[in-house]
Amino acid sequence: MRRLLLIVCGISVFAFIAWQVIDNFAERRAQQQVLALSQSMKKSFHVDVAIYKPDSTFMYDPSLSGTAPDQKMVLEILHEVRKALSLYPTGFLEKNLLRVVLVGTLKIEGGRVGGSYLINDRGNEIFLSTDYVLSNESRAFARRTIHHEFSSILMMLHDFPFKQWRSYWPSDIVEPTDREDILKYANIYLSQQKVDALKAKGFVSDYGLAGAENDVNTYVELLFDDPSRLRQLAEDHELIAKKLRILLSFYASLHPDLRALFISGPLKPFVPAY
């Protein structure tokens, strides 16, 4: 019995060591692939990719905090980041975005978020959380977060027409302006029935209730990642169509290639003429 127990223990130890060797190999392999993909993206888009470490200096905003991401998760997410960035003109990206920072768990003032952005003297940055289970839905979430956060950078840098946008804000819904209230709204998830009712009021997502900037962000997610759905929403709801025209006019003014992208796709009927 003792000999059998020793044999079993020996097999278990061997299996554990073998598993660690395999896992370490997979981790190193993932690191090599991440480096190669990051370098390729830098060459293609002139945008850096950085991996957050707890002792790094990426977080210039004290309200932001994060954890180091898993390399294998980083590799999966990087493919989605590449897809998202590939929709923008290269020179346009180089001018407006310094880098994308991949984080494990990302928090703002202790509250978990999918992404954030910073505009500072060192360059504009997008922070993207990677610690969610990968699926087709979460891959889309990663792409849309890039568009979402990049749109905030562009709005701040290029004088987005917020006054015109807010003219379509419903009078029976108070727009939050305090940071704490905005974060509170951002973590409210309404039923599908209530979300559908918001569409007639000009919202494509309940997240848009968290203020005009967040409202624009939700439009931009669909603008680049699901334009056919955005077209359908605009055809069904007059207020969404009006806000979509504002958004398309803004983006088309930033670069002629963006205008060409919209004209060549399903949103062509809503692109304002010069």
Side-chain angles (χ1 to χ4, degrees):
M1 183 69 180
R2 184 176 180 182
R3 172 186 273 180
L4 178 61
L5 182 61
L6 289 173
I7 292 173
V8 171
C9 290
I11 293 173
S12 298
V13 170
F14 176 79
F16 176 74
I17 293 173
W19 177 84
Q20 280 199 315
V21 170
I22 293 172
D23 191 60
N24 289 339
F25 175 79
E27 184 76 8
R28 288 197 300 273
R29 177 61 176 161
Q31 289 176 348
Q32 292 170 350
Q33 291 176 312
V34 165
L35 179 60
L37 186 53
S38 298
Q39 291 174 339
S40 172
M41 291 171 63
K42 172 66 173 178
K43 184 177 180 180
S44 298
F45 308 132
H46 303 286
V47 173
D48 290 325
V49 174
I51 311 301
Y52 175 75
K53 296 178 181 179
D55 60 347
S56 66
T57 58
F58 295 138
M59 299 294 194
Y60 311 119
D61 185 339
S63 69
L64 290 175
S65 61
T67 61
D70 179 90
Q71 287 292 324
K72 287 172 282 188
M73 190 68 77
V74 165
L75 181 59
E76 293 287 346
I77 295 300
L78 265 185
H79 288 292
E80 305 309 316
V81 174
R82 184 186 186 96
K83 290 176 187 176
L85 294 182
S86 68
L87 296 176
Y88 300 92
T90 300
F92 179 74
L93 279 172
E94 185 177 9
K95 182 179 178 182
N96 292 284
L97 183 63
L98 171 67
R99 65 182 163 192
V100 175
V101 181
L102 300 180
V103 188
T105 299
L106 180 63
K107 293 183 178 181
I108 297 180
E109 296 180 354
R112 186 176 174 179
V113 296
S116 188
Y117 70 95
L118 286 178
I119 297 176
N120 53 52
D121 294 338
R122 304 189 190 194
N124 310 318
E125 299 168 287
I126 293 173
F127 293 86
L128 177 63
S129 172
T130 64
D131 68 338
Y132 36 80
V133 178
L134 279 173
S135 63
N136 287 336
E137 183 178 348
S138 59
R139 286 185 173 92
F141 177 80
R143 296 191 303 272
R144 293 184 182 191
T145 300
I146 292 295
H147 299 307
H148 181 117
E149 302 302 336
F150 191 35
S151 70
S152 284
I153 291 173
L154 295 176
M155 283 187 278
M156 300 306 147
L157 294 180
H158 299 283
D159 196 23
F160 184 83
F162 278 110
K163 184 176 181 180
Q164 186 182 7
W165 188 273
R166 286 189 171 99
S167 70
Y168 295 119
W169 193 275
S171 59
D172 60 331
I173 297 179
V174 177
E175 180 188 357
T177 54
D178 179 81
R179 185 181 178 115
E180 186 175 331
D181 287 338
I182 291 173
L183 289 173
K184 189 186 301 180
Y185 267 94
N187 287 287
I188 293 176
Y189 299 94
L190 301 180
S191 67
Q192 188 59 51
Q193 185 178 10
K194 291 183 178 179
V195 171
D196 289 341
L198 285 173
K199 293 171 185 173
K201 295 179 180 290
F203 296 97
V204 297
S205 166
D206 53 350
Y207 194 85
L209 295 172
E213 180 184 340
N214 291 285
D215 188 21
V216 176
N217 294 151
T218 60
Y219 271 73
V220 174
E221 291 178 26
L222 298 179
L223 177 67
F224 286 98
D225 201 63
D226 197 351
S228 294
R229 172 165 169 70
L230 186 53
R231 173 176 175 163
Q232 187 60 59
L233 289 170
E235 288 176 344
D236 293 342
H237 303 283
E238 183 182 356
L239 282 177
I240 291 178
K242 290 180 178 179
K243 292 164 79 173
L244 173 58
R245 290 188 179 95
I246 295 173
L247 185 64
L248 287 168
S249 179
F250 172 72
Y251 269 86
S253 72
L254 299 179
H255 198 285
D257 286 356
L258 289 174
R259 179 180 176 81
L261 174 67
F262 304 138
I263 289 178
S264 65
L267 295 173
K268 180 179 179 179
F270 296 93
V271 179
Y274 280 124

